[in-house]
Coordinates of all heavy atoms in Angstrom, one line a residue:
D11 N 28.0 -52.5 41.2 CA 28.5 -53.6 40.3 C 29.9 -54.0 40.4 O 30.8 -53.2 41.0 CB 28.2 -53.2 38.9 CG 26.8 -52.7 38.7 OD1 25.8 -53.3 39.3 OD2 26.6 -51.8 37.9
V43 N 22.0 -50.3 42.9 CA 22.1 -49.1 41.9 C 22.9 -49.8 40.9 O 23.6 -50.8 41.1 CB 22.9 -47.9 42.6 CG1 24.4 -48.2 42.9 CG2 22.8 -46.7 41.6
G44 N 22.9 -49.2 39.6 CA 23.5 -49.7 38.5 C 23.1 -50.9 37.8 O 21.8 -51.1 37.8
G45 N 24.0 -51.7 37.3 CA 23.5 -53.0 36.6 C 22.8 -54.0 37.4 O 21.8 -54.6 37.0
T46 N 23.2 -54.1 38.7 CA 22.5 -55.0 39.6 C 21.1 -54.5 39.8 O 20.2 -55.3 40.0 CB 23.3 -55.2 40.9 OG1 23.8 -53.9 41.4 CG2 24.5 -56.1 40.8
A47 N 20.9 -53.2 39.9 CA 19.5 -52.7 40.1 C 18.7 -52.9 38.8 O 17.6 -53.3 38.8 CB 19.6 -51.2 40.3
Y48 N 19.4 -52.7 37.6 CA 18.8 -52.9 36.3 C 18.2 -54.5 36.2 O 17.1 -54.7 35.9 CB 19.6 -52.7 35.1 CG 19.0 -53.0 33.8 CD1 18.1 -52.1 33.3 CD2 19.2 -54.2 33.2 CE1 17.3 -52.4 32.1 CE2 18.6 -54.6 32.0 CZ 17.6 -53.6 31.5 OH 17.0 -53.9 30.3
D49 N 19.1 -55.4 36.7 CA 18.7 -56.8 36.5 C 17.5 -57.1 37.5 O 16.7 -57.8 37.1 CB 19.8 -57.6 37.1 CG 21.0 -57.7 36.0 OD1 20.8 -57.2 34.9 OD2 22.1 -58.1 36.4
A52 N 14.7 -53.4 36.4 CA 14.6 -52.8 35.0 C 15.0 -51.4 35.0 O 14.7 -50.7 34.0 CB 13.3 -53.1 34.3
T53 N 15.7 -50.9 36.0 CA 16.2 -49.5 36.0 C 17.4 -49.4 36.8 O 17.5 -50.1 37.9 CB 15.2 -48.4 36.6 OG1 15.8 -47.2 36.8 CG2 14.5 -49.0 37.9
P54 N 18.4 -48.6 36.4 CA 19.7 -48.5 37.1 C 19.4 -47.7 38.4 O 20.4 -47.7 39.3 CB 20.6 -47.7 36.2 CG 19.8 -47.1 35.3 CD 18.5 -47.7 35.2
L55 N 18.4 -46.9 38.6 CA 18.2 -46.1 39.8 C 16.8 -46.3 40.3 O 15.9 -45.4 40.0 CB 18.6 -44.7 39.5 CG 18.4 -43.8 40.9 CD1 19.3 -44.4 42.1 CD2 18.9 -42.3 40.6
P56 N 16.5 -47.3 40.9 CA 15.1 -47.5 41.5 C 14.6 -46.3 42.3 O 15.6 -45.8 43.1 CB 15.2 -48.8 42.3 CG 16.4 -49.5 42.0 CD 17.3 -48.5 41.5
A73 N 30.8 -48.9 42.8 CA 31.0 -48.5 41.6 C 29.8 -49.1 40.6 O 29.2 -50.0 41.1 CB 32.4 -48.9 41.0
V74 N 29.7 -48.5 39.5 CA 28.7 -49.2 38.6 C 29.2 -49.4 37.2 O 30.2 -48.9 36.8 CB 27.4 -48.2 38.5 CG1 26.7 -48.0 39.8 CG2 27.8 -46.8 37.8
G75 N 28.5 -50.4 36.5 CA 29.0 -50.7 35.2 C 29.6 -52.0 35.0 O 29.9 -52.7 36.0
G76 N 29.7 -52.4 33.7 CA 30.2 -53.8 33.4 C 29.9 -54.2 32.0 O 29.0 -53.7 31.5
Y77 N 30.7 -55.1 31.6 CA 30.5 -55.7 30.2 C 29.0 -56.0 29.9 O 28.4 -55.9 28.9 CB 31.3 -57.0 29.9 CG 32.8 -56.9 30.3 CD1 33.4 -57.8 31.0 CD2 33.5 -55.7 29.9 CE1 34.7 -57.7 31.4 CE2 34.8 -55.6 30.3 CZ 35.5 -56.6 31.1 OH 36.8 -56.5 31.4
K78 N 28.5 -56.7 31.0 CA 27.1 -57.3 30.9 C 26.1 -56.3 30.4 O 25.1 -56.7 29.7 CB 26.7 -57.9 32.3 CG 25.4 -58.7 32.3 CD 25.2 -59.2 33.7 CE 23.8 -59.8 33.8 NZ 23.5 -60.1 35.2
W79 N 26.3 -55.0 30.8 CA 25.2 -54.1 30.5 C 25.6 -53.1 29.4 O 24.9 -52.1 29.2 CB 24.9 -53.4 31.8 CG 24.5 -54.2 32.8 CD1 23.3 -54.8 33.1 CD2 25.3 -54.6 34.0 NE1 23.3 -55.6 34.1 CE2 24.5 -55.5 34.8 CE3 26.6 -54.4 34.5 CZ2 25.0 -56.1 36.0 CZ3 27.0 -54.9 35.6 CH2 26.2 -55.8 36.4
E80 N 26.7 -53.4 28.7 CA 27.2 -52.3 27.7 C 26.3 -52.2 26.6 O 26.2 -51.2 25.9 CB 28.6 -52.8 27.3 CG 29.7 -52.1 28.1 CD 31.1 -52.7 27.9 OE1 31.3 -53.5 26.9 OE2 31.9 -52.4 28.7
S81 N 25.5 -53.3 26.2 CA 24.7 -53.2 25.0 C 23.3 -52.6 25.3 O 22.4 -52.4 24.4 CB 24.5 -54.6 24.3 OG 24.0 -55.5 25.3
L82 N 23.0 -52.3 26.6 CA 21.7 -51.8 26.9 C 21.5 -50.4 26.2 O 22.5 -49.6 26.0 CB 21.5 -51.6 28.5 CG 21.4 -52.9 29.2 CD1 21.4 -52.4 30.7 CD2 20.1 -53.7 28.8
D83 N 20.3 -49.9 26.2 CA 20.1 -48.5 25.7 C 20.6 -47.6 26.7 O 20.7 -47.8 27.9 CB 18.4 -48.3 25.7 CG 18.1 -47.0 25.2 OD1 18.0 -46.9 23.9 OD2 18.0 -46.1 26.0
I84 N 21.2 -46.5 26.1 CA 21.9 -45.5 27.0 C 21.1 -45.0 28.3 O 21.5 -44.9 29.3 CB 22.4 -44.4 26.3 CG1 23.5 -43.6 27.0 CG2 21.4 -43.4 25.7 CD1 24.5 -42.8 26.2
A85 N 19.7 -45.0 28.0 CA 18.8 -44.5 29.1 C 18.8 -45.3 30.3 O 18.5 -44.9 31.5 CB 17.4 -44.3 28.5
V86 N 19.1 -46.7 30.1 CA 19.1 -47.6 31.3 C 20.4 -48.2 31.7 O 20.6 -49.2 32.4 CB 18.0 -48.6 31.1 CG1 16.6 -48.1 31.2 CG2 18.2 -49.4 29.8
R87 N 21.6 -47.7 31.1 CA 22.8 -48.1 31.4 C 23.1 -47.9 32.9 O 22.7 -46.9 33.5 CB 23.9 -47.6 30.5 CG 23.9 -48.4 29.2 CD 25.1 -48.2 28.5 NE 24.9 -48.3 27.0 CZ 25.3 -47.5 26.0 NH1 26.2 -46.5 26.3 NH2 24.9 -47.7 24.8
P88 N 24.0 -48.7 33.5 CA 24.4 -48.5 34.9 C 24.8 -47.2 35.1 O 24.4 -46.6 36.2 CB 25.4 -49.5 35.1 CG 25.3 -50.6 34.0 CD 24.7 -49.9 32.9
E89 N 25.6 -46.5 34.4 CA 26.2 -45.3 34.6 C 25.0 -44.0 34.8 O 25.2 -43.1 35.4 CB 27.0 -44.7 33.5 CG 28.3 -45.5 33.3 CD 28.1 -46.9 32.8 OE1 27.1 -47.3 32.4 OE2 29.1 -47.7 32.8
K90 N 23.8 -44.4 34.2 CA 22.7 -43.5 34.3 C 22.3 -43.4 35.8 O 21.8 -42.4 36.2 CB 21.5 -43.9 33.5 CG 21.7 -43.4 32.0 CD 21.2 -42.0 31.9 CE 21.6 -41.5 30.6 NZ 21.6 -40.0 30.3
G91 N 22.5 -44.4 36.5 CA 22.1 -44.5 37.9 C 23.0 -43.5 38.7 O 22.4 -42.9 39.5
L92 N 24.2 -43.6 38.3 CA 25.1 -42.6 39.0 C 24.8 -41.1 38.7 O 24.7 -40.3 39.6 CB 26.6 -42.9 38.5 CG 27.8 -42.3 39.2 CD1 27.7 -42.8 40.6 CD2 29.0 -42.9 38.5
L93 N 24.5 -40.8 37.4 CA 24.2 -39.5 37.0 C 22.9 -39.1 37.8 O 22.7 -37.9 38.2 CB 24.0 -39.3 35.5 CG 25.4 -39.5 34.7 CD1 25.1 -39.5 33.2 CD2 26.4 -38.6 35.1
G94 N 21.8 -40.1 37.8 CA 20.6 -39.8 38.5 C 20.9 -39.5 39.9 O 20.0 -38.6 40.5
L95 N 21.8 -40.1 40.6 CA 22.0 -39.8 41.9 C 22.5 -38.5 42.1 O 22.2 -37.7 43.0 CB 23.0 -40.9 42.7 CG 22.4 -42.3 43.0 CD1 23.5 -43.2 43.2 CD2 21.4 -42.1 44.1

Side-chain angles (χ1 to χ4, degrees):
D11 307 322
V43 71
T46 42
Y48 177 82
D49 288 348
T53 166
L55 181 58
V74 297
Y77 311 133
K78 184 178 169 191
W79 303 285
E80 270 168 10
S81 56
L82 288 178
D83 185 87
I84 194 160
V86 288
R87 278 201 209 137
E89 292 74 9
K90 276 282 173 198
L92 196 56
L93 294 179
L95 282 170

